[in-house]
Amino acid sequence: RLPGSKPYTIIDFFPKDLLVVVDESHATIPQIGGMYEGDKSRKTVLVEYGFRLPSALDNRPLNFDEFMKMTNQIIYVSATPAEFEIQNSVVGNKGYVPHKRARIGEAELVPFEIAGRARQAVAPTSTENVQRPTLNIQRPTRDRANANTPILQYSSAAVSRTDQPPEKFDVHTPGAPLVVEQIIRPTGLLDPRITLKPLKNQIDETIELCRQRVEKQERVLVTTLTKRTAEDLADYLRDVGLKVRYLHSDIDTIERVEILRGLRAADFDILVGINLLREGLDLPEVSLVCILDADKEGFLRSQTSLIQTAGRAARHVNGEVVLFADQVTHSMEALMSISEYRRVKQMEYNEAHGITPQTVRRAVQESLHTILRGREIESSVIREAGGDFNVTELLRELEDEMQRASANLEFERAALLRDQIMEVKSGAGITKIEPKRRPVKYTRNAGRRRSRV
């Protein structure tokens, strides 16, 4: 192919009308473009300094435009969709509306449609007509110095709500939004309660909340802003008698899995983290999430980050999220609005169908160290017997496959597998399997004619 042309990928093997489901789209969509940009940036330096040939630039993933043109039907799945997904989920969209970001690496815009409503920023010249979400919680006082900041105003939007009949979902009018809510859980669980507490004495409050959950044999997640804070807080909680560990990007990936498994298995009760306690974590035992310094607006305390972090407590019937803040930021406002909106819909559905919320039950996976230790013991036993662990595993798999092929009357495949087993045993110095042959008996002078001299 020509230099700079589109590379061939696995998508080329799919039909043109394939359906692509993008899970956690708010994080996956930026990664699609990021793969190409990161690959290009790295290889460009290598080519310029002569460490790679220029053709290395053509051995690349698809760029974002190429990917979007090859995928005609896409379903974006996310609890916190970005503006890109909302804008491109409309009837009659044959192409795609590009990002509004000025450059690669800049944060994606927050969604302008949340909780079945449209979000608009208005100047706070008059707050009388501004409709704010109603929450039965006590909030900290707003900072008067930020009186000129925009206020979130909500208005109705043509989004398919959970309680809307499917036949009313408009899929024919050009430009109609194709956004569907999916907030009812099979277990009947509600979104976690949101509680606001002041920043003063937030550490002492966290300790008390943690002790209350530990007495109930429940787990706690605590999020901070820096690695140093996470480590220091974990040490402090450990000094006051709590079983705690911390988790951040400096910890090896395998060790992260072990830490999360240990939290579920009650090896410790509290996990302190920064930005890893978000998408993809399934921790049903966690009933409390404490977000320290929640009003420090930024990447770690953005609307998406707060909603995703709060969702870690959504798998427990006693789920609760505590925000420590002295003022309510726009991100916190969005989190509380969405949570209250979903809780109302979920409670109405549960009452209408007689559903009692139940905590998710899921077995704790076996430790990787236990699995690896078991393989080491098995390997040592086989070596002591004079065998090879890897060869023995291979022979076991081949023999099982040969037995299955024979049971399925695939005799040619079974014979091929038998020959492979014989070759492996021969190469490993193991006695060959000789095929059973019918014994032949020879009688003296049988069938012979005596020759005459």
Side-chain angles (χ1 to χ4, degrees), residues 110 114 119 142 150 152 154 194 196 294-307 323 327-339:
V110 296
I114 55 176
R119 190 173 67 89
R142 276 187 179 273
L152 299 183
Y154 297 92
I194 307 296
L196 294 184
D295 56 354
K296 303 297 186 292
E297 190 82 73
F299 172 72
L300 295 177
R301 296 295 180 263
S302 64
Q303 174 180 322
T304 298
S305 297
L306 290 179
I307 295 174
L323 305 175
Q327 60 180 349
V328 179
T329 64
H330 297 319
S331 299
M332 294 169 59
E333 191 85 26
L335 168 64
M336 293 184 290
S337 171
I338 291 175
S339 179

Side-chain angles (χ1 to χ4, degrees), residues 168-388:
K168 290 187 177 181
F169 187 48
D170 186 6
V171 295
H172 302 291
T173 305
L178 296 174
V179 182
V180 180
E181 287 183 338
Q182 191 178 19
I183 60 178
I184 302 300
R185 299 183 175 91
T187 54
L189 284 173
L190 310 178
D191 271 40
R193 300 186 305 275
I194 307 296
T195 304
L196 294 184
K197 291 181 177 293
L199 284 175
K200 186 178 181 180
N201 299 325
Q202 62 175 344
I203 302 301
D204 294 335
E205 286 279 354
T206 301
I207 293 174
E208 181 60 28
L209 292 172
C210 290
R211 284 176 172 163
Q212 294 175 5
R213 300 289 170 160
V214 171
E215 291 177 358
K216 300 178 182 178
Q217 298 183 349
E218 298 172 356
R219 316 288 185 271
V220 182
L221 298 181
V222 181
T223 63
T224 64
L225 291 175
T226 64
K227 298 176 183 177
R228 179 66 179 273
T229 306
E231 296 176 359
D232 292 345
L233 179 59
D235 293 338
Y236 183 77
L237 296 179
R238 193 177 296 110
D239 291 340
V240 299
L242 296 173
K243 295 189 292 183
V244 59
R245 293 193 65 175
Y246 63 83
L247 180 72
H248 53 63
S249 58
D250 288 348
I251 297 177
D252 183 72
T253 305
I254 300 298
E255 188 63 23
R256 294 181 201 172
V257 176
E258 286 301 305
I259 291 175
L260 295 174
R261 190 206 64 83
L263 178 68
R264 294 198 58 199
D267 296 340
F268 57 97
D269 304 306
I270 306 163
L271 181 59
V272 182
I274 306 170
N275 195 39
L276 295 177
L277 306 179
R278 289 183 45 170
E279 301 91 342
L281 285 191
D282 186 11
L283 306 170
E285 293 79 10
V286 172
S287 65
L288 175 64
V289 174
C290 295
I291 302 180
L292 307 184
D293 301 309
D295 56 354
K296 303 297 186 292
E297 190 82 73
F299 172 72
L300 295 177
R301 296 295 180 263
S302 64
Q303 174 180 322
T304 298
S305 297
L306 290 179
I307 295 174
Q308 290 291 343
T309 304
R312 299 317 98 197
R315 291 170 173 82
H316 199 284
V317 69
N318 298 324
E320 182 180 4
V321 178
V322 178
L323 305 175
F324 291 95
D326 285 337
Q327 60 180 349
V328 179
T329 64
H330 297 319
S331 299
M332 294 169 59
E333 191 85 26
L335 168 64
M336 293 184 290
S337 171
I338 291 175
S339 179
E340 183 69 11
Y341 170 83
R342 292 176 177 173
R343 284 178 62 87
V344 170
K345 294 295 181 183
Q346 291 161 350
M347 288 188 290
E348 290 177 353
Y349 185 88
N350 289 348
E351 292 176 2
H353 296 81
I355 298 176
T356 302
Q358 297 179 355
T359 300
V360 175
R361 304 292 180 186
R362 191 168 289 111
V364 181
Q365 70 178 44
E366 191 175 4
S367 171
L368 292 176
H369 293 309
T370 303
I371 298 174
L372 295 176
R373 178 59 180 165
R375 293 180 66 86
E376 290 177 1
I377 294 175
E378 185 177 0
S379 176
S380 62
V381 170
I382 293 177
R383 288 197 184 97
E384 290 177 0
D388 188 345

